[in-house]
Amino acid sequence: MKNNEIKHVGVVGSGAMGSQIAMVSALAGYPVTLQDIEQESLDKAKTFLTLQMDRRVEKERYTREEVDQAFERLTFTTNIEELSKANMIIEAIVEKLEAKRDLFSELDKIVTDDTILATNSSTIVSSKIADVVSNPGNVCNIHFFNPVLVMDMVEVVKGPHTSDETAEVSMAFVKSIRKTPVLLKKEISGFIANRILGKLMDEAVFLYENGYATHEEIDLVCKKALNHPIGPFELMDLTGIDVNYFVRMQRYSESGDKKDKPARIVAEKVGKGELGKKTGKGFYEYDENGTKVEVKK
Ligand SMILES: NC(=O)c1ccc[n+]([C@@H]2O[C@H](COP(=O)([O-])OP(=O)(O)OC[C@H]3O[C@@H](n4cnc5c(N)ncnc54)[C@H](O)[C@@H]3O)[C@@H](O)[C@H]2O)c1
């Protein structure tokens, strides 16, 4: 399959990532089917994307016509069968290995022999999933960054099972949706950015949990001293504290090393449902527009 033969993009999971992956693909001209098991999630995705794209039209990053045409190319559905049209499918469902394996084996029943099946997982290498499908050579990681509408980088990861063609087509696909891809020729859990970020997060949480500084102070130091555009706690709120939790649980289940378990504060926040921006409260509090609100202490 050549890149220009990618005729239809399928995205599974219409949450924070899947909705935006679908949108950038539609903006680049691909017909896109965005599938989710929850109608409510699809409705939320549509509202969110409409708001985001309206803002971009106001700022003249896109014309109204470009955005309207992209929405015309984008189909929202709960019916998995509709993904059979796609020959590039990107999975962006919950970060749980078993859920991803179940989904890939469902997809295997409906896709053609040369459909690329990519996972957007933050940590799970595709070799942990590829054995459930008939053509493991078609499986790889295509890892986007949040928010996809803004972030330019995409990591494409080739597992030992991934064919050269799948890696090449995936790289070309990423370029075609106006993102910058990097190809990891050898797979490793967490890939590049999240492995480096993980070390930073661990240190930030260590300093916070041991009372050396507040989360606000740590974020401020990272921004003002290290020139990071966003602090580690702000980033966790943006990403979803539950995502951090599931990533660490996944790593712990693979390594059995207690050091890989989610941090105490992360587990506490998840237990309380304080997942960050998406629930209105994480390390910080947010209003209904997702803007950070100052809390008087
Ligand atoms: N949030 C981030 O910053 C980020 C960044 C990069 C990668 N990722 C990865 O992307 C994936 C999705 O993350 P997210 O933050 O968008 O999650 P999310 O919780 O916002 O969305 C997940 C969506 O998947 C749907 N879903 C669950 N099971 C499904 C199934 N079997 N079939 C169809 N839909 C299903 C849910 O209804 C939900 O709408 C995860 O693997 C995560 O590790 C997340």
Side-chain angles (χ1 to χ4, degrees), residues 10-227:
V11 180
V12 194
S14 64
M17 297 301 289
S19 57
Q20 296 185 60
I21 295 169
M23 192 75 231
V24 293
S25 303
L27 284 166
Y30 291 103
V32 181
T33 301
L34 176 59
Q35 188 267 348
D36 200 289
I37 43 172
E38 300 284 348
Q39 182 61 47
E40 197 188 334
S41 178
L42 290 166
D43 295 343
K44 264 174 79 178
K46 201 181 267 182
T47 308
F48 169 77
L49 292 174
T50 305
L51 186 79
Q52 290 294 322
M53 294 317 299
D54 283 351
R55 279 193 201 154
R56 284 163 174 78
V57 171
E58 268 165 40
K59 290 183 183 161
E60 298 184 355
R61 300 224 178 101
Y62 293 94
T63 64
R64 171 56 57 199
E65 198 187 5
E66 282 168 332
V67 167
D68 288 349
Q69 284 175 356
F71 274 109
E72 274 166 33
R73 286 190 284 268
L74 183 51
T75 309
F76 297 79
T77 182
T78 53
N79 180 6
I80 192 168
E81 303 277 334
E82 287 190 37
L83 292 167
S84 62
K85 296 184 207 131
N87 56 350
M88 162 65 80
I89 298 184
I90 301 167
E91 166 276 311
I93 68 165
V94 61
E95 184 72 348
K96 288 186 182 159
L97 178 60
E98 276 319 306
K100 291 184 191 289
R101 286 175 64 83
D102 289 348
L103 172 69
F104 273 62
S105 92
E106 282 303 301
L107 290 172
D108 192 46
K109 294 179 196 145
I110 57 168
V111 297
T112 56
D113 282 351
D114 63 355
T115 299
I116 293 183
L117 295 171
T119 172
N120 178 53
S121 170
S122 305
T123 49
I124 303 171
V125 288
S126 71
S127 59
K128 298 220 172 282
I129 306 173
D131 60 295
V132 303
V133 305
S134 328
N135 294 306
N138 298 343
V139 178
C140 68
N141 294 83
I142 301 186
H143 179 228
F144 290 81
F145 291 86
N146 196 8
V148 181
L149 285 168
V150 177
M151 300 296 284
D152 182 31
M153 175 50 59
V154 177
E155 294 169 328
V156 176
V157 187
K158 191 172 182 288
H161 53 279
T162 310
S163 72
D164 289 345
E165 190 186 21
T166 296
E168 276 160 31
V169 173
S170 299
M171 290 290 287
F173 168 72
V174 172
K175 285 181 197 155
S176 77
I177 58 170
R178 303 174 199 127
K179 302 275 177 204
T180 304
V182 159
L183 177 66
L184 279 77
K185 293 174 201 72
K186 211 166 127 183
E187 64 176 21
I188 183 165
S189 169
F191 325 124
I192 297 176
N194 281 347
R195 290 185 72 85
I196 293 173
L197 182 64
K199 300 279 184 221
L200 179 87
M201 292 287 191
D202 284 353
E203 197 55 39
V205 166
F206 169 83
L207 293 168
Y208 171 75
E209 285 190 341
N210 289 285
Y212 292 103
T214 64
H215 63 278
E216 291 98 334
E217 287 162 344
I218 296 166
D219 279 348
L220 193 63
V221 171
C222 287
K223 289 188 283 190
K224 298 280 181 188
L226 304 178
N227 226 1

